[in-house]
Each structure stands twice: as structure tokens, then as C-alpha cells.
């Protein structure tokens, strides 16, 4: 089954990153897949139907597919997603939490790029599924200190509370968080690993 997603042209080609696969009911079959692309789209694919002809993008329609989320920098420029997301159950039990970074290191010209890249954690709701409109739906986190010791860099980050359901902070409910990578040219090009 071929599933068509939006975006891409000869001038600005597009491609999917490695998908993250989810078995919702632990029966050994993949029910959903998440995959980012070079245009910053994080797609969710619904593969739960027994008949592959019913598989497709989870949001929008076959003629107008919509991504779960589009990663953009603070100026609205799309950020490429080139590695698989780490996916876990959301702590509430409602849906999944995705963790992924942005950045591209595929072409010779990428070596010199200094565009702002970001690490994201977004909540894909299961009970009332909707897309995430952008950074405004996410809580900002920051790298607060960077220390070099024994040839390694160590960072501490903010722990700004995320208002998942009840607005505990100004700005209303949030669907996750984002953290801009602080160094010029810094990017995330490998799969994230979740500890704890």
C-alpha cells in the first residue's frame, strides 16, 4: 500500500525519516507509525485496519493529508526531521509522547548550515485526537548552563511546568515542550534515547 503525504518538489525535495512503530494492543501487529520528513512534518500513519487499503495518514483526508505537527524555528522556518522519534505512552494513559530533534546532515552543504534547530516532545492524544498547531501549543524549555569537564559537555536545563490538562501556568494547556539547541550549527541527527 502506497501512502501519499504532502510536500516536496524538484527544487525542494522531501523524504521521510525512519519511522517509529507502535503496537497499540500488544498483538504483534503495528497499529501506528510516526515519521518526520525534511520539511519538518511529523506524520502519523494509521495502520490498524485489517485491510491495507484502509491504511493512511491519521489526520486530514487522502486528498489533503495533515501532519500531526510541523517543526519550525521561532521565525517560522521549517526544521528537517531526519531521525526516528522515541515514542512512549503518555503518563496520563491517553495516547503517546514523541521525543525527537531536528537538523539535517545528509548533503555536503549541510556542514556549513547554522540554522536554529530544536528538540521536541509532543503529545499525540488518543481519546480526542487532534493535530498540534505549532510552538504556541508547547511549553518552552531552555539550556540553562553548559559545562565542560574531562573533555565532555554537560548541560542543565529548565524544568518549566507543562500544563497538560489544567492550566497551571499562564498560556493555557499545552501539548508538550520544545528546547532550542543553543550552539550555532548544532543539530539532532540520531534517534533519541529515553532514560527513566
Amino acid at each position: 500500500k502506497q501512502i501519499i503525504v504532502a510536500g516536496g518538489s524538484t527544487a525542494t525535495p522531501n523524504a521521510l525519516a525512519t519511522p517509529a512503530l507502535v503496537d497499540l494492543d500488544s498483538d504483534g501487529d503495528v497499529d501506528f507509525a510516526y515519521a518526520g520528513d525534511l520539511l519538518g512534518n511529523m506524520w502519523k500513519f494509521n495502520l490498524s485496519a485489517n485491510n491495507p487499503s484502509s491504511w493512511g495518514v491519521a489526520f486530514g483526508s487522502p486528498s489533503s493529508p495533515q501532519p500531526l505537527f510541523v517543526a519550525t524555528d521561532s521565525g517560522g522556518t521549517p526544521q528537517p526531521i531526519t531521525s526516528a522519534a522515541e515514542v512512549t505512552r503518555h503518563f496520563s494513559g491517553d495516547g503517546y509522547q514523541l521525543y525527537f530533534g531536528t537538523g539535517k546532515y545528509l548533503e555536503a552543504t549541510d556542514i556549513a548550515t547554522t540554522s536554529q534547530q530544536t528538540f521536541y516532545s509532543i503529545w499525540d492524544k488518543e481519546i480526542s485526537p487532534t493535530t498540534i498547531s505549532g510552538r504556541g501549543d508547547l511549553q518552552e524549555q531552555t539550556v540553562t548552563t553548559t559545562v565542560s569537564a574531562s573533555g565532555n559537555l554537560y548541560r542543565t536545563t529548565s524544568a518549566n511546568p507543562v500544563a497538560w490538562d489544567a492550566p497551571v501556568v499562564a498560556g493555557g494547556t499545552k501539548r508538550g515542550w520544545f528546547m532550542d539547541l543553543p550552539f550555532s550549527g548544532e543539530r539532532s541527527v540520531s534517534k533519541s534515547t529515553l532514560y527513566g
Side-chain angles (χ1 to χ4, degrees):
K1 161 86 176 170
Q2 183 182 36
I3 301 174
I4 305 297
V5 297
S9 66
T10 302
T12 309
N14 196 12
L16 288 177
T18 302
L21 308 177
V22 176
D23 179 2
L24 183 66
D25 50 10
S26 301
D27 65 354
D29 295 328
V30 173
D31 296 301
F32 297 101
Y34 298 96
D37 69 20
L38 295 178
L39 301 180
N41 300 301
M42 179 55 74
W43 298 97
K44 179 181 182 180
F45 300 97
N46 187 343
L47 311 174
S48 61
N50 290 330
N51 187 344
S53 65
S54 298
W55 295 354
V57 175
F59 298 101
S61 65
S63 61
S64 182
Q66 300 296 315
L68 168 64
F69 175 74
V70 181
T72 62
D73 64 19
S74 58
T77 302
Q79 299 169 303
I81 303 168
T82 58
S83 56
E86 177 75 27
V87 182
T88 64
R89 264 293 197 185
H90 190 265
F91 69 89
S92 68
D94 176 8
Y96 292 89
Q97 193 75 16
L98 282 66
Y99 302 85
F100 60 93
T102 66
K104 183 166 71 79
Y105 196 57
L106 302 172
E107 304 168 84
T109 55
D110 291 337
I111 296 171
T113 59
T114 58
S115 54
Q116 177 75 66
Q117 301 302 326
T118 306
F119 192 84
Y120 292 94
S121 178
I122 61 172
W123 178 18
D124 176 29
K125 291 186 173 186
E126 186 177 4
I127 294 174
S128 55
T130 57
T131 60
I132 302 168
S133 64
R135 281 181 172 233
D137 282 351
L138 307 177
Q139 173 64 54
E140 183 175 10
Q141 305 291 349
T142 58
V143 174
T144 54
T145 61
T146 301
V147 177
S148 178
S150 303
N152 296 310
L153 289 177
Y154 298 92
R155 291 175 167 166
T156 57
T157 62
S158 64
N160 298 323
V162 179
W164 297 107
D165 277 322
V168 295
V169 293
T173 59
K174 300 293 183 183
R175 291 283 297 276
W177 52 266
F178 72 92
M179 182 171 55
D180 288 332
L181 302 178
F183 292 157
S184 176
E186 186 174 3
R187 67 202 82 187
S188 176
V189 293
S190 57
K191 182 180 178 181
S192 307
T193 302
L194 187 65
Y195 291 93

